[in-house]
mmCIF file of all heavy atoms in Angstrom:
data_model
loop_
_atom_site.group_PDB
_atom_site.id
_atom_site.type_symbol
_atom_site.label_atom_id
_atom_site.label_comp_id
_atom_site.label_asym_id
_atom_site.label_seq_id
_atom_site.Cartn_x
_atom_site.Cartn_y
_atom_site.Cartn_z
ATOM 1 N N ALA A 1 0.844 -1.184 0.000
ATOM 2 C CA ALA A 1 0.000 0.000 0.000
ATOM 3 C C ALA A 1 0.883 1.240 0.000
ATOM 4 O O ALA A 1 2.050 1.183 0.413
ATOM 5 C CB ALA A 1 -0.918 -0.002 1.212
ATOM 6 N N PRO A 2 0.362 2.373 -0.460
ATOM 7 C CA PRO A 2 1.168 3.597 -0.479
ATOM 8 C C PRO A 2 1.743 3.925 0.889
ATOM 9 O O PRO A 2 1.030 3.898 1.892
ATOM 10 C CB PRO A 2 0.167 4.661 -0.934
ATOM 11 C CG PRO A 2 -0.831 3.909 -1.745
ATOM 12 C CD PRO A 2 -0.970 2.583 -1.048
ATOM 13 N N GLY A 3 3.031 4.220 0.925
ATOM 14 C CA GLY A 3 3.690 4.580 2.165
ATOM 15 C C GLY A 3 3.987 3.430 3.097
ATOM 16 O O GLY A 3 4.443 3.666 4.222
ATOM 17 N N GLN A 4 3.744 2.202 2.663
ATOM 18 C CA GLN A 4 3.966 1.037 3.505
ATOM 19 C C GLN A 4 4.973 0.092 2.871
ATOM 20 O O GLN A 4 5.257 0.174 1.677
ATOM 21 C CB GLN A 4 2.654 0.298 3.772
ATOM 22 C CG GLN A 4 1.593 1.139 4.471
ATOM 23 C CD GLN A 4 0.343 0.350 4.792
ATOM 24 O OE1 GLN A 4 0.342 -0.882 4.761
ATOM 25 N NE2 GLN A 4 -0.731 1.049 5.115
ATOM 26 N N GLU A 5 5.503 -0.802 3.686
ATOM 27 C CA GLU A 5 6.422 -1.817 3.203
ATOM 28 C C GLU A 5 5.662 -2.917 2.480
ATOM 29 O O GLU A 5 4.471 -3.142 2.721
ATOM 30 C CB GLU A 5 7.213 -2.412 4.369
ATOM 31 C CG GLU A 5 8.053 -1.409 5.141
ATOM 32 C CD GLU A 5 9.184 -0.856 4.315
ATOM 33 O OE1 GLU A 5 9.719 -1.587 3.451
ATOM 34 O OE2 GLU A 5 9.544 0.313 4.515
ATOM 35 N N ARG A 6 6.360 -3.600 1.594
ATOM 36 C CA ARG A 6 5.767 -4.737 0.917
ATOM 37 C C ARG A 6 5.589 -5.874 1.915
ATOM 38 O O ARG A 6 6.537 -6.265 2.601
ATOM 39 C CB ARG A 6 6.649 -5.172 -0.254
ATOM 40 C CG ARG A 6 5.995 -6.192 -1.163
ATOM 41 C CD ARG A 6 6.763 -6.335 -2.467
ATOM 42 N NE ARG A 6 6.783 -5.092 -3.216
ATOM 43 C CZ ARG A 6 7.303 -4.967 -4.439
ATOM 44 N NH1 ARG A 6 7.841 -6.024 -5.038
ATOM 45 N NH2 ARG A 6 7.285 -3.792 -5.045
ATOM 46 N N GLN A 7 4.368 -6.418 1.991
ATOM 47 C CA GLN A 7 4.019 -7.383 3.018
ATOM 48 C C GLN A 7 3.606 -8.713 2.404
ATOM 49 O O GLN A 7 2.920 -8.756 1.386
ATOM 50 C CB GLN A 7 2.882 -6.849 3.892
ATOM 51 C CG GLN A 7 3.214 -5.572 4.651
ATOM 52 C CD GLN A 7 4.213 -5.794 5.771
ATOM 53 O OE1 GLN A 7 4.308 -6.890 6.330
ATOM 54 N NE2 GLN A 7 4.956 -4.757 6.112
ATOM 55 N N PHE A 8 4.002 -9.783 3.071
ATOM 56 C CA PHE A 8 3.585 -11.119 2.690
ATOM 57 C C PHE A 8 2.089 -11.283 2.900
ATOM 58 O O PHE A 8 1.546 -10.869 3.923
ATOM 59 C CB PHE A 8 4.349 -12.149 3.532
ATOM 60 C CG PHE A 8 3.940 -13.570 3.313
ATOM 61 C CD1 PHE A 8 4.505 -14.324 2.305
ATOM 62 C CD2 PHE A 8 2.991 -14.166 4.130
ATOM 63 C CE1 PHE A 8 4.139 -15.643 2.106
ATOM 64 C CE2 PHE A 8 2.612 -15.478 3.944
ATOM 65 C CZ PHE A 8 3.191 -16.216 2.924
ATOM 66 N N VAL A 9 1.415 -11.898 1.940
ATOM 67 C CA VAL A 9 -0.018 -12.152 2.032
ATOM 68 C C VAL A 9 -0.310 -13.638 2.135
ATOM 69 O O VAL A 9 -1.028 -14.083 3.033
ATOM 70 C CB VAL A 9 -0.770 -11.560 0.824
ATOM 71 C CG1 VAL A 9 -2.258 -11.908 0.895
ATOM 72 C CG2 VAL A 9 -0.570 -10.052 0.756
ATOM 73 N N ALA A 10 0.221 -14.411 1.201
ATOM 74 C CA ALA A 10 -0.034 -15.845 1.166
ATOM 75 C C ALA A 10 1.085 -16.536 0.416
ATOM 76 O O ALA A 10 1.686 -15.962 -0.493
ATOM 77 C CB ALA A 10 -1.380 -16.148 0.503
ATOM 78 N N GLY A 11 1.359 -17.778 0.786
ATOM 79 C CA GLY A 11 2.401 -18.549 0.145
ATOM 80 C C GLY A 11 1.933 -19.949 -0.174
ATOM 81 O O GLY A 11 1.011 -20.473 0.466
ATOM 82 N N LEU A 12 2.571 -20.555 -1.156
ATOM 83 C CA LEU A 12 2.192 -21.877 -1.637
ATOM 84 C C LEU A 12 3.420 -22.732 -1.904
ATOM 85 O O LEU A 12 4.347 -22.311 -2.582
ATOM 86 C CB LEU A 12 1.372 -21.753 -2.933
ATOM 87 C CG LEU A 12 1.111 -23.049 -3.706
ATOM 88 C CD1 LEU A 12 0.067 -23.885 -2.974
ATOM 89 C CD2 LEU A 12 0.677 -22.750 -5.135
ATOM 90 N N ARG A 13 3.403 -23.928 -1.337
ATOM 91 C CA ARG A 13 4.326 -24.969 -1.752
ATOM 92 C C ARG A 13 3.587 -25.886 -2.714
ATOM 93 O O ARG A 13 2.441 -26.257 -2.469
ATOM 94 C CB ARG A 13 4.850 -25.755 -0.555
ATOM 95 C CG ARG A 13 5.696 -24.918 0.399
ATOM 96 C CD ARG A 13 6.341 -25.772 1.471
ATOM 97 N NE ARG A 13 7.213 -24.973 2.318
ATOM 98 C CZ ARG A 13 8.015 -25.460 3.247
ATOM 99 N NH1 ARG A 13 8.060 -26.768 3.464
ATOM 100 N NH2 ARG A 13 8.768 -24.654 3.970
ATOM 101 N N TRP A 14 4.230 -26.234 -3.809
ATOM 102 C CA TRP A 14 3.559 -27.033 -4.824
ATOM 103 C C TRP A 14 3.148 -28.404 -4.312
ATOM 104 O O TRP A 14 2.289 -29.051 -4.901
ATOM 105 C CB TRP A 14 4.441 -27.163 -6.061
ATOM 106 C CG TRP A 14 4.651 -25.854 -6.755
ATOM 107 C CD1 TRP A 14 5.787 -25.103 -6.777
ATOM 108 C CD2 TRP A 14 3.677 -25.130 -7.519
ATOM 109 N NE1 TRP A 14 5.599 -23.960 -7.516
ATOM 110 C CE2 TRP A 14 4.310 -23.952 -7.986
ATOM 111 C CE3 TRP A 14 2.338 -25.356 -7.869
ATOM 112 C CZ2 TRP A 14 3.644 -23.009 -8.779
ATOM 113 C CZ3 TRP A 14 1.684 -24.417 -8.645
ATOM 114 C CH2 TRP A 14 2.338 -23.259 -9.097
ATOM 115 N N SER A 15 3.734 -28.821 -3.207
ATOM 116 C CA SER A 15 3.336 -30.073 -2.587
ATOM 117 C C SER A 15 1.967 -29.980 -1.921
ATOM 118 O O SER A 15 1.370 -31.001 -1.580
ATOM 119 C CB SER A 15 4.380 -30.502 -1.556
ATOM 120 O OG SER A 15 4.534 -29.522 -0.545
ATOM 121 N N GLY A 16 1.483 -28.742 -1.711
ATOM 122 C CA GLY A 16 0.161 -28.553 -1.165
ATOM 123 C C GLY A 16 0.061 -27.656 0.046
ATOM 124 O O GLY A 16 -1.030 -27.158 0.344
ATOM 125 N N ASN A 17 1.159 -27.424 0.752
ATOM 126 C CA ASN A 17 1.114 -26.581 1.932
ATOM 127 C C ASN A 17 0.838 -25.139 1.556
ATOM 128 O O ASN A 17 1.385 -24.617 0.582
ATOM 129 C CB ASN A 17 2.428 -26.662 2.703
ATOM 130 C CG ASN A 17 2.626 -28.011 3.363
ATOM 131 O OD1 ASN A 17 1.728 -28.851 3.385
ATOM 132 N ND2 ASN A 17 3.808 -28.225 3.915
ATOM 133 N N ARG A 18 -0.005 -24.488 2.344
ATOM 134 C CA ARG A 18 -0.354 -23.094 2.110
ATOM 135 C C ARG A 18 -0.201 -22.301 3.395
ATOM 136 O O ARG A 18 -0.443 -22.810 4.491
ATOM 137 C CB ARG A 18 -1.783 -22.979 1.573
ATOM 138 C CG ARG A 18 -1.981 -23.664 0.230
ATOM 139 C CD ARG A 18 -3.385 -23.507 -0.285
ATOM 140 N NE ARG A 18 -4.360 -24.206 0.545
ATOM 141 C CZ ARG A 18 -5.650 -24.309 0.254
ATOM 142 N NH1 ARG A 18 -6.123 -23.746 -0.853
ATOM 143 N NH2 ARG A 18 -6.469 -24.963 1.070
ATOM 144 N N TYR A 19 0.168 -21.036 3.257
ATOM 145 C CA TYR A 19 0.436 -20.172 4.396
ATOM 146 C C TYR A 19 -0.222 -18.824 4.161
ATOM 147 O O TYR A 19 -0.250 -18.325 3.032
ATOM 148 C CB TYR A 19 1.944 -19.986 4.584
ATOM 149 C CG TYR A 19 2.709 -21.285 4.646
ATOM 150 C CD1 TYR A 19 3.148 -21.909 3.487
ATOM 151 C CD2 TYR A 19 2.987 -21.892 5.869
ATOM 152 C CE1 TYR A 19 3.836 -23.106 3.539
ATOM 153 C CE2 TYR A 19 3.674 -23.086 5.933
ATOM 154 C CZ TYR A 19 4.094 -23.688 4.765
ATOM 155 O OH TYR A 19 4.782 -24.876 4.821
ATOM 156 N N TYR A 20 -0.740 -18.217 5.244
ATOM 157 C CA TYR A 20 -1.464 -16.962 5.125
ATOM 158 C C TYR A 20 -1.067 -15.987 6.223
ATOM 159 O O TYR A 20 -0.801 -16.387 7.358
ATOM 160 C CB TYR A 20 -2.972 -17.183 5.199
ATOM 161 C CG TYR A 20 -3.521 -18.038 4.094
ATOM 162 C CD1 TYR A 20 -3.724 -19.394 4.275
ATOM 163 C CD2 TYR A 20 -3.838 -17.477 2.859
ATOM 164 C CE1 TYR A 20 -4.227 -20.179 3.252
ATOM 165 C CE2 TYR A 20 -4.340 -18.263 1.832
ATOM 166 C CZ TYR A 20 -4.536 -19.618 2.037
ATOM 167 O OH TYR A 20 -5.039 -20.390 1.016
ATOM 168 N N GLU A 21 -1.047 -14.723 5.861
ATOM 169 C CA GLU A 21 -0.929 -13.682 6.857
ATOM 170 C C GLU A 21 -2.230 -13.645 7.654
ATOM 171 O O GLU A 21 -3.310 -13.872 7.105
ATOM 172 C CB GLU A 21 -0.651 -12.344 6.165
ATOM 173 C CG GLU A 21 -0.202 -11.230 7.089
ATOM 174 C CD GLU A 21 -1.361 -10.489 7.696
ATOM 175 O OE1 GLU A 21 -2.402 -10.346 7.021
ATOM 176 O OE2 GLU A 21 -1.231 -10.040 8.845
ATOM 177 N N ASP A 22 -2.140 -13.359 8.941
ATOM 178 C CA ASP A 22 -3.291 -13.501 9.821
ATOM 179 C C ASP A 22 -4.511 -12.694 9.376
ATOM 180 O O ASP A 22 -5.649 -13.158 9.517
ATOM 181 C CB ASP A 22 -2.918 -13.108 11.252
ATOM 182 C CG ASP A 22 -2.038 -14.129 11.934
ATOM 183 O OD1 ASP A 22 -1.972 -15.276 11.454
ATOM 184 O OD2 ASP A 22 -1.421 -13.785 12.957
ATOM 185 N N SER A 23 -4.304 -11.509 8.847
ATOM 186 C CA SER A 23 -5.426 -10.650 8.511
ATOM 187 C C SER A 23 -6.242 -11.146 7.322
ATOM 188 O O SER A 23 -7.371 -10.684 7.118
ATOM 189 C CB SER A 23 -4.940 -9.223 8.238
ATOM 190 O OG SER A 23 -4.180 -9.159 7.045
ATOM 191 N N VAL A 24 -5.700 -12.072 6.531
ATOM 192 C CA VAL A 24 -6.423 -12.578 5.368
ATOM 193 C C VAL A 24 -6.850 -14.027 5.529
ATOM 194 O O VAL A 24 -7.596 -14.541 4.688
ATOM 195 C CB VAL A 24 -5.599 -12.426 4.070
ATOM 196 C CG1 VAL A 24 -5.110 -10.998 3.911
ATOM 197 C CG2 VAL A 24 -4.430 -13.411 4.045
ATOM 198 N N LYS A 25 -6.414 -14.674 6.576
ATOM 199 C CA LYS A 25 -6.749 -16.076 6.790
ATOM 200 C C LYS A 25 -8.260 -16.234 6.924
ATOM 201 O O LYS A 25 -8.906 -15.509 7.670
ATOM 202 C CB LYS A 25 -6.043 -16.618 8.026
ATOM 203 C CG LYS A 25 -6.178 -18.120 8.197
ATOM 204 C CD LYS A 25 -5.336 -18.622 9.355
ATOM 205 C CE LYS A 25 -5.408 -20.130 9.475
ATOM 206 N NZ LYS A 25 -4.583 -20.634 10.597
ATOM 207 N N GLY A 26 -8.812 -17.184 6.176
ATOM 208 C CA GLY A 26 -10.246 -17.392 6.162
ATOM 209 C C GLY A 26 -10.965 -16.615 5.083
ATOM 210 O O GLY A 26 -12.125 -16.917 4.783
ATOM 211 N N ARG A 27 -10.316 -15.612 4.510
ATOM 212 C CA ARG A 27 -10.900 -14.819 3.431
ATOM 213 C C ARG A 27 -10.215 -15.063 2.088
ATOM 214 O O ARG A 27 -10.868 -15.059 1.049
ATOM 215 C CB ARG A 27 -10.827 -13.332 3.753
ATOM 216 C CG ARG A 27 -11.597 -12.928 5.005
ATOM 217 C CD ARG A 27 -11.660 -11.412 5.150
ATOM 218 N NE ARG A 27 -10.331 -10.823 5.318
ATOM 219 C CZ ARG A 27 -9.808 -9.899 4.521
ATOM 220 N NH1 ARG A 27 -10.495 -9.449 3.474
ATOM 221 N NH2 ARG A 27 -8.594 -9.410 4.762
ATOM 222 N N PHE A 28 -8.904 -15.258 2.108
ATOM 223 C CA PHE A 28 -8.126 -15.442 0.884
ATOM 224 C C PHE A 28 -7.709 -16.899 0.740
ATOM 225 O O PHE A 28 -7.469 -17.592 1.734
ATOM 226 C CB PHE A 28 -6.858 -14.585 0.901
ATOM 227 C CG PHE A 28 -7.087 -13.100 0.801
ATOM 228 C CD1 PHE A 28 -8.356 -12.550 0.900
ATOM 229 C CD2 PHE A 28 -6.003 -12.255 0.606
ATOM 230 C CE1 PHE A 28 -8.551 -11.182 0.814
ATOM 231 C CE2 PHE A 28 -6.187 -10.887 0.510
ATOM 232 C CZ PHE A 28 -7.460 -10.344 0.615
ATOM 233 N N THR A 29 -7.597 -17.348 -0.499
ATOM 234 C CA THR A 29 -7.125 -18.691 -0.791
ATOM 235 C C THR A 29 -6.107 -18.638 -1.915
ATOM 236 O O THR A 29 -6.395 -18.111 -2.991
ATOM 237 C CB THR A 29 -8.277 -19.622 -1.198
ATOM 238 O OG1 THR A 29 -9.255 -19.672 -0.157
ATOM 239 C CG2 THR A 29 -7.753 -21.035 -1.453
ATOM 240 N N ILE A 30 -4.921 -19.174 -1.666
ATOM 241 C CA ILE A 30 -3.896 -19.251 -2.695
ATOM 242 C C ILE A 30 -3.928 -20.646 -3.300
ATOM 243 O O ILE A 30 -4.124 -21.641 -2.593
ATOM 244 C CB ILE A 30 -2.502 -18.910 -2.130
ATOM 245 C CG1 ILE A 30 -1.456 -18.846 -3.253
ATOM 246 C CG2 ILE A 30 -2.092 -19.894 -1.039
ATOM 247 C CD1 ILE A 30 -0.105 -18.327 -2.789
ATOM 248 N N SER A 31 -3.748 -20.730 -4.609
ATOM 249 C CA SER A 31 -3.752 -22.015 -5.282
ATOM 250 C C SER A 31 -2.928 -21.918 -6.551
ATOM 251 O O SER A 31 -2.596 -20.829 -7.021
ATOM 252 C CB SER A 31 -5.177 -22.480 -5.604
ATOM 253 O OG SER A 31 -5.818 -21.577 -6.487
ATOM 254 N N GLY A 32 -2.602 -23.067 -7.112
ATOM 255 C CA GLY A 32 -1.847 -23.114 -8.352
ATOM 256 C C GLY A 32 -2.280 -24.290 -9.189
ATOM 257 O O GLY A 32 -2.908 -25.229 -8.695
ATOM 258 N N THR A 33 -1.949 -24.251 -10.467
ATOM 259 C CA THR A 33 -2.300 -25.326 -11.374
ATOM 260 C C THR A 33 -1.295 -26.456 -11.282
ATOM 261 O O THR A 33 -0.154 -26.277 -10.861
ATOM 262 C CB THR A 33 -2.360 -24.821 -12.816
ATOM 263 O OG1 THR A 33 -1.077 -24.284 -13.182
ATOM 264 C CG2 THR A 33 -3.415 -23.745 -12.971
ATOM 265 N N GLY A 34 -1.734 -27.639 -11.702
ATOM 266 C CA GLY A 34 -0.851 -28.795 -11.697
ATOM 267 C C GLY A 34 0.350 -28.632 -12.607
ATOM 268 O O GLY A 34 1.419 -29.186 -12.340
ATOM 269 N N ALA A 35 0.188 -27.875 -13.677
ATOM 270 C CA ALA A 35 1.287 -27.609 -14.598
ATOM 271 C C ALA A 35 2.239 -26.552 -14.072
ATOM 272 O O ALA A 35 3.258 -26.277 -14.713
ATOM 273 C CB ALA A 35 0.737 -27.181 -15.951
ATOM 274 N N ARG A 36 1.917 -25.957 -12.945
ATOM 275 C CA ARG A 36 2.724 -24.900 -12.330
ATOM 276 C C ARG A 36 2.939 -23.727 -13.286
ATOM 277 O O ARG A 36 4.007 -23.131 -13.325
ATOM 278 C CB ARG A 36 4.063 -25.460 -11.839
ATOM 279 C CG ARG A 36 3.906 -26.529 -10.766
ATOM 280 C CD ARG A 36 5.214 -26.802 -10.033
ATOM 281 N NE ARG A 36 6.189 -27.471 -10.886
ATOM 282 C CZ ARG A 36 6.309 -28.787 -10.985
ATOM 283 N NH1 ARG A 36 5.510 -29.583 -10.288
ATOM 284 N NH2 ARG A 36 7.239 -29.299 -11.780
ATOM 285 N N ASP A 37 1.890 -23.389 -14.043
ATOM 286 C CA ASP A 37 1.971 -22.266 -14.961
ATOM 287 C C ASP A 37 1.086 -21.097 -14.560
ATOM 288 O O ASP A 37 1.098 -20.058 -15.229
ATOM 289 C CB ASP A 37 1.647 -22.702 -16.390
ATOM 290 C CG ASP A 37 0.253 -23.301 -16.543
ATOM 291 O OD1 ASP A 37 -0.522 -23.299 -15.566
ATOM 292 O OD2 ASP A 37 -0.054 -23.771 -17.655
ATOM 293 N N THR A 38 0.316 -21.254 -13.488
ATOM 294 C CA THR A 38 -0.551 -20.183 -13.018
ATOM 295 C C THR A 38 -0.670 -20.243 -11.505
ATOM 296 O O THR A 38 -0.844 -21.321 -10.938
ATOM 297 C CB THR A 38 -1.954 -20.264 -13.630
ATOM 298 O OG1 THR A 38 -1.864 -20.425 -15.050
ATOM 299 C CG2 THR A 38 -2.740 -19.000 -13.327
ATOM 300 N N LEU A 39 -0.598 -19.100 -10.881
ATOM 301 C CA LEU A 39 -0.834 -18.959 -9.457
ATOM 302 C C LEU A 39 -2.051 -18.058 -9.268
ATOM 303 O O LEU A 39 -2.166 -17.030 -9.936
ATOM 304 C CB LEU A 39 0.385 -18.343 -8.768
ATOM 305 C CG LEU A 39 0.357 -18.250 -7.249
ATOM 306 C CD1 LEU A 39 0.551 -19.630 -6.622
ATOM 307 C CD2 LEU A 39 1.438 -17.290 -6.753
ATOM 308 N N TYR A 40 -2.946 -18.446 -8.362
ATOM 309 C CA TYR A 40 -4.156 -17.682 -8.117
ATOM 310 C C TYR A 40 -4.198 -17.164 -6.687
ATOM 311 O O TYR A 40 -3.616 -17.750 -5.774
ATOM 312 C CB TYR A 40 -5.399 -18.537 -8.339
ATOM 313 C CG TYR A 40 -5.584 -19.048 -9.745
ATOM 314 C CD1 TYR A 40 -5.309 -20.373 -10.056
ATOM 315 C CD2 TYR A 40 -6.044 -18.213 -10.751
ATOM 316 C CE1 TYR A 40 -5.496 -20.849 -11.342
ATOM 317 C CE2 TYR A 40 -6.224 -18.683 -12.036
ATOM 318 C CZ TYR A 40 -5.950 -19.996 -12.327
ATOM 319 O OH TYR A 40 -6.127 -20.471 -13.602
ATOM 320 N N LEU A 41 -4.923 -16.079 -6.510
ATOM 321 C CA LEU A 41 -5.281 -15.609 -5.180
ATOM 322 C C LEU A 41 -6.755 -15.240 -5.206
ATOM 323 O O LEU A 41 -7.137 -14.221 -5.786
ATOM 324 C CB LEU A 41 -4.434 -14.403 -4.751
ATOM 325 C CG LEU A 41 -4.694 -13.910 -3.326
ATOM 326 C CD1 LEU A 41 -4.223 -14.953 -2.307
ATOM 327 C CD2 LEU A 41 -3.995 -12.580 -3.060
ATOM 328 N N GLN A 42 -7.571 -16.096 -4.609
ATOM 329 C CA GLN A 42 -8.996 -15.819 -4.480
ATOM 330 C C GLN A 42 -9.203 -14.979 -3.237
ATOM 331 O O GLN A 42 -8.843 -15.401 -2.134
ATOM 332 C CB GLN A 42 -9.792 -17.119 -4.385
ATOM 333 C CG GLN A 42 -11.286 -16.922 -4.177
ATOM 334 C CD GLN A 42 -11.973 -16.285 -5.360
ATOM 335 O OE1 GLN A 42 -11.733 -16.677 -6.498
ATOM 336 N NE2 GLN A 42 -12.810 -15.290 -5.104
#
């Protein structure tokens, strides 16, 4: 955001593990395709 540091939101390991910053947990979902050609953030 303007005037702020770049912050981690969500992370994905292709093996399936997912990680979220506390403020978005339960609202955001990170995912990727099996071909590893697209990353999504719902």
Side-chain angles (χ1 to χ4, degrees):
Q4 300 183 15
E5 300 293 328
R6 190 166 298 185
Q7 298 290 333
F8 176 87
V9 177
L12 169 74
R13 295 187 176 187
W14 294 107
S15 59
N17 290 352
R18 298 181 294 185
Y19 308 86
Y20 298 96
E21 193 274 326
D22 287 343
S23 69
V24 308
K25 189 174 183 180
R27 298 189 297 122
F28 291 10
T29 302
I30 186 172
S31 62
T33 59
R36 298 195 290 269
D37 59 5
T38 311
L39 186 73
Y40 297 104
L41 184 68
Q42 177 67 45

